[in-house]
Amino acid sequence: MTDVARLAGVSHQTVSRVLNGHPNVREQTRLRVQAAIAELGYRPNRAARALVTGRSQVIGVVAQNTTLYGPASLLAALEQAAAEAGFAVTVGSVNDLDHRSISAAVERHLAHRVAGIVVIAPVESAGEALERLPQEVPLVTVDGDPSRPIPLVTVDQVAGARAATRHLLDAGHRTVWHVSGPSDWFDSAGRIEGWREALQAAGAEVPPLIAGDWSAAAGYRCGQMLARMPEVSAVFTANDHLALGVLRALHEHGRRVPDDISVVGFDDVPEAAYFIPPLTTVRPDFAAVARASLDLLLAQIETEVAGPLRQTIAPTLVSRNSVGAPPAR
């Protein structure tokens, strides 16, 4: 830092202000310091900074070890948002989101003096573990339990499911069948709630729930049953992989999409636009969830006071070719 100050012709304190984004630095001076930093290849010593300030420029993330599109996309978006805020991310992957696993991951993060912790906690088993964590730890949950008094940022699952169901009803379908995700996921529960609300608001019959998980294989099994039911003309699946399995089963039974049955998914996976037919789906804004999570966490770090307990990010319906009018009876 002394070398940077000497090359830029400023004081050591001015270099520190530039590095910390202090507003009371003239733009010309800031540019001169940044040029000196670039020329010398200077990198701040984060370990030394942690010793001085008592916290590091590192955010700890606890996430389940999974390749599911939603949690994996959230993790990538959190890393990007943290980098834009000047923080690095260290990830504690756990096989199960239970009390023992989460507590162990949090302790590992705290041992490395992270500035705060984000927990991607979409299942019921994570709730009790989070309430037992030390109160002084800056903490935000993503897609966690909305009933617990822990700062939470989540996609508005209910609104997304309502939009998907209304889209099918507006196309002329008398009702919409739903293939759900796992029963212990908050995402799944929210999507069931939104589906049911939309049907009830329209005065439509609420069909029996078709229980699945997040896999294309489950969608295929459920689709085999739906394909044999002539009264089914519209299906909303809890994610796009379920929709993919349903599409395969319908094709095998000669049920054309969207001529005979319309299908809507959730998540807008990159492949959804290339399904046959291209899938109408609900797109969560994972980048917005990540930014809101980081903003909430950094506010806690700076003020040592928890902010709003809940923020919801609205998703977007993406209309493609898998929805049409119901067939004439």
Side-chain angles (χ1 to χ4, degrees):
M1 194 181 290
T2 301
D3 293 338
V4 171
R6 185 182 300 113
L7 180 59
V10 299
S11 67
H12 179 281
Q13 289 80 4
T14 298
V15 175
S16 178
R17 291 190 188 99
V18 171
L19 290 170
N20 289 297
H22 199 284
N24 295 334
V25 178
R26 290 189 302 171
E27 185 61 21
Q28 185 177 4
T29 302
R30 187 185 307 278
L31 293 173
R32 197 162 69 245
V33 171
Q34 290 173 341
I37 288 171
E39 181 177 339
L40 294 173
Y42 170 72
R43 293 182 178 85
N45 187 327
R46 296 189 185 278
R49 177 181 173 84
L51 290 173
V52 172
T53 63
R55 64 177 175 86
S56 68
Q57 292 294 107
V58 178
I59 300 297
V61 176
V62 179
Q64 191 170 22
N65 186 15
T66 178
T67 57
L68 287 172
Y69 178 73
S73 298
L74 277 170
L75 181 56
L78 281 167
E79 290 179 314
Q80 179 63 35
E84 292 172 358
F87 282 76
V89 166
T90 178
V91 180
S93 296
V94 296
N95 290 326
D96 299 298
L97 286 169
D98 54 22
H99 174 64
R100 180 177 179 181
S101 301
I102 291 176
S103 297
V106 168
E107 286 301 322
R108 289 195 297 272
H109 282 320
L110 295 180
H112 288 88
R113 304 181 75 164
V114 297
I117 294 174
V118 176
V119 182
I120 302 175
V123 297
E124 294 176 359
S125 59
E128 183 180 354
L130 294 174
E131 285 195 346
R132 295 184 183 181
L133 295 181
Q135 295 297 311
E136 68 274 10
V137 178
L139 172 70
V140 171
T141 60
V142 178
D143 285 350
D145 188 346
S147 69
R148 295 182 184 270
I150 301 171
L152 166 68
V153 180
T154 183
V155 173
D156 194 335
Q157 312 290 350
V158 176
R162 276 200 304 259
T165 307
R166 281 200 305 264
H167 185 66
L168 289 162
L169 294 173
D170 290 344
H173 296 275
R174 297 174 63 182
T175 191
V176 178
W177 292 69
H178 181 49
V179 180
S180 74
S183 60
D184 61 338
W185 281 63
F186 300 117
D187 292 4
S188 180
R191 294 169 197 181
I192 292 171
E193 181 181 347
W195 161 72
R196 187 173 284 121
E197 282 184 3
L199 291 177
Q200 291 172 341
E205 179 186 354
V206 180
L209 184 70
I210 310 297
D213 53 33
W214 297 128
S215 69
Y220 179 74
R221 291 193 300 271
C222 296
Q224 291 282 339
M225 178 180 65
L226 292 167
R228 295 184 175 94
M229 302 168 64
E231 69 272 24
V232 175
S233 70
V235 179
F236 163 50
T237 65
N239 77 347
D240 292 347
H241 288 100
L242 286 167
L244 178 60
V246 168
L247 290 174
R248 169 68 182 272
L250 295 177
H251 173 75
E252 289 182 357
H253 285 266
R255 304 292 298 275
R256 297 167 300 168
V257 177
D259 296 341
D260 298 322
I261 297 182
S262 293
V263 178
V264 175
F266 204 113
D267 276 347
D268 194 26
V269 299
E271 300 83 5
Y274 302 95
F275 289 1
I276 300 176
L279 182 67
T280 295
T281 185
V282 177
R283 178 188 296 160
D285 192 339
F286 294 120
V289 172
R291 288 192 299 270
S293 302
L294 261 294
D295 289 345
L296 197 57
L297 186 66
L298 295 180
Q300 286 187 52
I301 292 169
E302 296 298 330
T303 66
E304 299 183 358
V305 176
L309 281 181
R310 186 176 183 185
Q311 293 187 39
T312 54
I313 307 298
T316 304
L317 182 76
V318 180
S319 179
R320 296 194 179 102
N321 299 343
S322 63
V323 173
R329 298 297 180 186

